[in-house]
Amino acid sequence: MPMVAIVGARNASGEGLKNAGFFAQSLARAGCIIVSGLAKGIDGAAHRATLGLGANHGTVAVCGTGLNIAYPQEHCGLMQAIRRQGLLISELSPEIGPKALHFPRRNRIIAALCLGVIVIEAAERSGSLITARLASELGREVFALPGPINNPLYAGCHQLIQQ
């Protein structure tokens, strides 16, 4: 099945979370597997929305930790739900905890798995822009949602649209 990544801000707005859920469910209903990074914010919203559709719709979480570590800790339940109804992926040993260098490495896996990446909200220096750049370098489609011109949560998205 085709895979599409949904990524974005950890400190997402309510509108961004709603958009992540909308795109995740719409694409899953159209036959796509939704891939994201299990982070707070947009990633978690995309995973939850997909799981909410039931057992016929899967989600893939590419983790920046080992698979025995829930990160962030509040996603422990989400991680268990994905284990039952989706797939957890990590290139790290099971007991490895979060480190800043793990997340850009995780983003390259997300980009490589998918036909395209949708960036919902991204600040000017967002990790989501790393995923978008890697996806573009791999010849994948990159999509970005526009938002209010003065909202810093959309500065990265506007930058992608300009490019």
Side-chain angles (χ1 to χ4, degrees):
M1 293 175 67
M3 292 191 246
V4 176
I6 297 178
V7 299
R10 284 182 169 86
N11 295 317
S13 69
E15 189 69 19
L17 297 173
K18 190 170 89 175
N19 287 333
F22 170 79
F23 278 97
Q25 288 191 341
S26 297
L27 288 164
R29 284 186 182 114
C32 294
I33 294 173
I34 304 304
V35 178
S36 201
L38 198 66
K40 285 178 14 179
I42 298 300
D43 293 18
H47 290 306
R48 278 189 211 86
T50 306
L51 292 170
L53 293 174
N56 292 331
H57 302 281
T59 186
V60 174
V62 182
C63 302
T65 62
L67 295 181
N68 288 344
I69 307 288
Y71 183 79
Q73 282 188 327
E74 62 260 30
H75 280 183
C76 186
L78 178 58
M79 193 173 181
Q80 293 306 320
I82 293 170
R83 218 177 279 249
R84 288 188 300 274
Q85 190 180 320
L87 180 65
L88 297 169
I89 297 175
S90 177
E91 66 180 337
L92 301 169
S93 298
E95 301 299 328
I96 300 292
K99 292 190 172 137
L101 64 102
H102 294 167
F103 298 97
R105 290 177 58 195
R106 170 205 64 188
N107 294 350
R108 85 183 197 294
I109 297 170
I110 292 171
L113 286 173
C114 297
L115 296 173
V117 174
I118 301 173
V119 182
I120 302 290
E121 286 180 341
E124 202 168 355
R125 297 182 185 264
S126 169
S128 300
L129 299 180
I130 295 170
T131 309
R133 179 183 51 79
L134 293 166
S136 179
E137 289 172 1
L138 291 169
R140 309 308 197 247
E141 296 289 336
V142 176
F143 305 91
L145 260 62
I149 60 169
N150 57 352
N151 185 334
L153 279 176
Y154 288 93
C157 291
H158 295 153
Q159 201 173 34
L160 289 172
I161 291 167
Q162 286 177 333
Q163 292 170 359

